[in-house]
Amino acid sequence: MENIHSFKIKELLNKYPFLDSFFKNNTLKISGKEHLTLRQVFAEFDEDTLEDMGVEPQLFIQQITEFITQMNTFLGKDENKVKSVTILPGNDKSGNIEGFDKLVIKQGEIISIVGPTGSGKSRLLADIEWVAQEDTPTKRKILINNDIPDKKWRFSSSDKLVAQLSQNMNFVMDLTVYEFVELHAESRLVENKDNVIKRIIEKANDLAGESFEPDTPITSLSGGQSRALMIADTAILSKSPIILIDEIENAGIDRKRALSLLLSEDKVVLMATHDPILALMGDRRIVIKNGGIHKVIETTDQEREILSTLEEMDRTILAYRTKLRSGEIITKI
Amino acid sequence: MNLVTVSGPPSSGKTAVILKTIDALKKQNLKIGVVKFDCLYTDDDELYKKAGIKVKKGLSGALCPDHYFVSNIEEVTQWGLDEGFDILISESAGLCNRCSPYIKDIKAICVIDNLSGINTPKKIGPMLKSADIVIITKGDIVSQAEREVFAARVNMVNPAAIIMHINGLTGQGSFELSTLLYDETVQTNSLKGMKLRFPMPAALCSYCLGETRIGESYQMGNVRKMDFEEK
Ligand SMILES: Nc1ncnc2c1ncn2[C@@H]1O[C@H](COP(=O)(O)OP(=O)(O)OP(=O)(O)O)[C@@H](O)[C@H]1O
Ligand SMILES: Nc1nc2c(ncn2[C@@H]2O[C@H](COP(=O)(O)OP(=O)(O)O)[C@@H](O)[C@H]2O)c(=O)[nH]1
Ligand SMILES: [Mg+2]
Ligand SMILES: [Mg+2]
Ligand SMILES: [Zn+2]
């Protein structure tokens, strides 16, 4: 790849199909010039035209080489197998060492994180995302697969360790559901795109109360539908092995199903929450106090029974909400 | 002293990110100053002052702020050295999408936001393409999918950059950025003789110089006409 400028554009595109969008995004006009080499293409433009296009040949060659390397690594590698994430103790805000030896979170586990405002829940999530190596205010250390993590987890844009389901569920793009998922699928270079897109829309419809069509504009989805689409899309298309959730609201989606969809895709789920139902849906919960991990509690059998009761109560409350919304008068509990 | 140049489209979150990052840097006992370049108006200097940060501002008026930047950055650097800063951060709004204030061997950061639309990365030009670090803000108001698509587009125009996500409101990610800014072994004492990463196009036409009348006979210098023949 040293002599990338001596390949014909045609040959480059054949060898690396993903370069098509690279050329488009870098505003180098190559149509009609496929029979030329990059060097010849540059020579065709005078300096002013290149300046106009914002193209600087030397930088361009550097960037295209880097891009090819990245994409080849990305395509060549099998799945990002993250089987476990280990947290080694740091200190709380007063400098006291956290009271646990090590905390191992395994693929397929749901961990909830609870604690008062300002206690350090977000910091813990950020430590994981940054794969902290005793270089954050908490001095925690994060291991992946019980080993010192690869640097790529910090800086690669295609290999993020963590995907985050945002609290906010607005879409800003002006696209249909299908186009939107397609765009995402293309950026992840997935094979058999159409199947994947179909599956995502199906799963999203499973999660949402009211169904929507592939040609519905994303901006006209309801809150529940948007959230359902986001969760299905993240579960299936995002390569990140860890999913962080900041409160899945009740907004018209089946939370239990949402979590099981994420788990069926081999994710680790970490969920900061104030909602007792969500907190108890975790296999374990981390209690944060004064910046430190105060306790790690395994959800007990008794708690699971209580969870069922809480869910029953939740459904009752929802039923009342529906009644009030439709104009009924409530006469008994 | 370390000099760090921060650039990006208006309202992309430059000030928000710089303020949060300085919070993290201050905890390492580093002395930090800011210089803000803009065109007609800015009240960013007030925001920096309020946060207890020494700040200088420069308004370029009718000139391209990036051209104005290059003409003044050496003096600004001397000011920073006199003040004894460990880090001097420059903030400038990229307005013409064609210029960028980045200097070879001086750390260059571009701030761009998720809301600006997925075709923005390819429109921005050298300000994005030749940055060392690209910060993407406002991830809190878009979906994970949109964040991933946007980051992929940024990566496509600048594959060599470190791409980071920062929330300018909560500061999430700013601690991480702060770890990349200061390098004790780097001592910038003067910029004399250093070079811009990208040439700034000459924009000198008669209108730059105050001409207001319309018509070919008033047009001098670097004038370019639209092509109406093109199909
Ligand atoms: N162990 C620690 N040592 C020093 N600082 C810490 C520690 N843990 C957290 N902090 C700092 O405390 C502040 C509050 O923490 P954080 O934002 O994580 O709280 P939170 O639990 O997410 O609060 P909320 O419920 O309001 O979102 C942050 O500035 C964070 O960096
Ligand atoms: N929601 C959200 N708003 C942000 C974020 N970053 C910045 N902002 C807001 O965007 C606006 C413009 O930010 P500012 O820092 O002034 O942009 P600048 O012109 O690039 O310096 C301000 O109102 C900020 O509060 C972010 O990550 N999320
Ligand atoms: Mg928080
Ligand atoms: Mg600003
Ligand atoms: Zn300019």
Side-chain angles (χ1 to χ4, degrees):
Chain A
M1 234 160 46
E2 303 289 277
N3 48 358
I4 190 150
H5 22 351
S6 49
F7 282 103
K8 294 198 171 82
I9 302 281
K10 201 166 47 187
E11 294 165 346
L12 284 176
L13 286 173
N14 260 334
K15 202 157 169 206
Y16 312 112
F18 50 77
L19 285 183
D20 188 37
S21 56
F22 183 87
F23 286 122
K24 284 193 187 121
N25 277 285
N26 283 283
T27 57
L28 186 68
K29 297 182 195 113
I30 50 157
S31 72
K33 300 192 167 51
E34 288 86 350
H35 58 290
L36 301 178
T37 65
L38 262 183
R39 198 199 305 272
Q40 289 165 331
V41 170
F42 290 137
E44 289 239 312
F45 298 108
D46 59 30
E47 214 164 287
D48 281 352
T49 317
L50 283 175
E51 217 171 69
D52 268 3
M53 293 190 288
V55 171
E56 209 270 300
Q58 207 185 335
L59 180 67
F60 192 92
I61 296 288
Q62 228 173 318
Q63 307 265 40
I64 196 169
T65 313
E66 173 68 28
F67 188 71
I68 293 173
T69 315
Q70 279 179 17
M71 284 299 137
N72 280 344
T73 336
F74 180 76
L75 291 169
K77 151 191 64 203
D78 40 18
E79 296 294 294
N80 283 320
K81 281 284 182 234
V82 172
K83 295 210 170 61
S84 69
V85 176
T86 304
I87 305 171
L88 298 180
N91 46 251
D92 68 13
K93 289 187 190 179
S94 324
N96 303 312
I97 297 182
E98 291 175 298
F100 63 95
D101 284 339
K102 70 176 182 183
L103 177 56
V104 184
I105 302 169
K106 296 209 175 64
Q107 196 182 59
E109 258 195 300
I110 303 177
I111 306 287
S112 41
I113 301 172
V114 296
T117 296
S119 57
K121 301 185 291 295
S122 299
R123 187 62 252 167
L124 175 61
L125 296 182
D127 282 349
I128 294 172
E129 185 164 10
W130 182 242
V131 281
Q133 295 301 309
E134 301 176 3
D135 56 356
T136 67
T138 66
K139 300 280 183 292
R140 289 188 187 113
K141 190 166 178 172
I142 307 294
L143 305 180
I144 305 289
N145 298 335
N146 207 21
D147 216 342
I148 306 285
D150 194 317
K151 271 223 154 51
K152 73 169 187 192
W153 293 120
R154 272 193 186 178
F155 295 126
S156 155
S157 69
S158 52
D159 257 342
K160 283 251 161 266
L161 186 60
V162 164
Q164 214 163 4
L165 285 172
S166 16
Q167 215 143 16
N168 203 304
M169 46 194 168
N170 300 322
F171 286 108
V172 295
M173 291 180 191
D174 186 18
L175 297 171
T176 67
V177 168
Y178 190 92
E179 289 166 339
F180 173 76
V181 181
E182 185 177 34
L183 199 60
H184 192 198
E186 279 168 0
S187 83
R188 311 301 308 172
L189 304 172
V190 298
E191 285 159 30
N192 51 48
K193 200 174 69 179
D194 290 328
N195 285 337
V196 174
I197 299 173
K198 232 175 86 193
R199 195 164 134 240
I200 290 172
I201 298 177
E202 244 169 56
K203 288 285 179 195
N205 270 312
D206 275 355
L207 298 179
E210 342 117 70
S211 70
F212 56 89
E213 299 296 319
D215 60 2
T216 309
I218 47 174
T219 45
S220 68
L221 296 177
S222 74
Q225 290 170 328
S226 303
R227 192 159 276 272
L229 179 60
M230 263 184 215
I231 291 171
D233 171 273
T234 302
I236 294 167
L237 266 184
S238 179
K239 274 209 159 185
S240 308
I242 302 176
I243 310 271
L244 303 184
I245 304 178
D246 239 320
E247 294 274 333
I248 316 187
E249 290 153 45
N250 219 344
I253 71 154
D254 189 329
R255 295 184 290 185
K256 213 166 201 168
R257 270 197 177 167
L259 288 177
S260 66
L261 172 61
L262 290 169
L263 293 183
S264 70
E265 299 293 325
D266 288 341
K267 308 283 188 186
V268 174
V269 178
L270 285 141
M271 170 169 74
T273 185
H274 298 287
D275 181 330
I277 294 182
L278 282 176
L280 291 176
M281 275 182 190
D283 302 302
R284 287 184 283 170
R285 59 183 183 275
I286 296 177
V287 186
I288 308 268
K289 198 169 149 185
N290 188 32
I293 295 181
H294 173 57
K295 272 184 183 168
V296 181
I297 300 172
E298 196 132 346
T299 309
T300 65
D301 288 341
Q302 192 180 12
E303 281 175 337
R304 283 184 216 282
E305 273 170 41
I306 293 171
L307 173 61
S308 311
T309 318
L310 287 176
E311 283 174 320
E312 191 52 48
M313 287 160 74
D314 196 40
R315 275 192 288 276
T316 312
I317 291 171
L318 269 179
Y320 280 109
R321 191 168 83 181
T322 313
K323 281 183 186 167
L324 287 171
R325 271 184 178 172
S326 61
E328 282 179 47
I329 289 164
I330 294 172
T331 51
K332 61 176 174 26
I333 194 83
Chain B
M1 183 180 75
N2 285 198
L3 175 63
V4 177
T5 51
V6 179
S7 188
S11 297
S12 56
K14 298 179 293 297
T15 307
V17 167
I18 295 172
L19 283 169
K20 296 288 183 194
T21 308
I22 290 178
D23 279 348
L25 287 167
K26 276 185 173 164
K27 291 192 184 129
Q28 305 173 39
N29 287 321
L30 294 169
K31 202 171 166 207
I32 296 138
V34 172
V35 55
K36 163 74 200 202
F37 288 94
D38 217 318
C39 237
L40 296 175
Y41 176 79
T42 182
D43 48 17
D44 282 353
D45 51 327
E46 294 302 324
L47 294 173
Y48 289 118
K49 273 183 209 152
K50 225 162 80 192
I53 301 159
K54 277 239 166 101
V55 59
K56 272 263 176 282
K57 83 170 154 183
L59 294 179
S60 63
L63 297 177
C64 163
D66 288 320
H67 282 72
Y68 182 75
F69 171 95
V70 213
S71 320
N72 286 283
I73 191 64
E74 169 63 10
E75 288 80 355
V76 165
T77 304
Q78 294 312 319
W79 166 74
L81 289 164
D82 288 345
E83 294 282 344
F85 297 141
D86 298 303
I87 308 180
L88 173 60
I89 302 177
S90 79
E91 176 188 344
S92 47
L95 294 170
C96 70
N97 275 0
R98 183 50 196 82
C99 297
S100 81
Y102 308 142
I103 301 164
K104 283 183 186 150
D105 302 320
I106 297 290
K107 198 157 281 163
I109 302 180
C110 178
V111 179
I112 171 172
D113 73 84
N114 271 300
L115 296 181
S116 59
I118 47 165
N119 289 319
T120 301
K122 85 171 160 202
K123 290 185 215 151
I124 290 187
M127 187 167 74
L128 179 59
K129 273 186 202 177
S130 60
D132 301 311
I133 302 176
V134 178
I135 303 296
I136 305 177
T137 60
K138 305 188 190 176
D140 54 320
I141 20 195
V142 302
S143 60
Q144 172 69 20
E146 285 166 295
R147 282 194 293 275
E148 287 185 12
V149 171
F150 194 81
R153 294 287 173 102
V154 169
N155 184 60
M156 203 160 326
V157 296
N158 190 347
I162 291 175
I163 299 175
M164 300 178 82
H165 297 263
I166 295 187
N167 181 326
L169 295 182
T170 64
Q172 191 182 349
S174 58
F175 167 80
E176 287 73 9
L177 174 62
S178 78
T179 63
L180 304 179
L181 294 194
Y182 186 62
D183 183 347
E184 245 174 330
T185 63
V186 172
Q187 281 305 336
T188 304
N189 294 316
S190 166
L191 301 177
K192 266 183 218 144
M194 286 190 164
K195 288 211 157 125
L196 285 171
R197 295 191 183 192
F198 232 87
M200 293 188 183
L204 280 183
C205 67
S206 40
Y207 297 106
C208 299
L209 298 169
E211 179 60 76
T212 53
R213 291 166 297 181
I214 298 171
E216 200 145 356
S217 54
Y218 305 112
Q219 297 168 350
M220 290 180 312
N222 197 351
V223 175
R224 194 178 304 170
K225 293 299 203 178
M226 283 169 74
D227 182 0
F228 289 95
E229 303 301 309
E230 220 172 357
K231 288 152 286 206

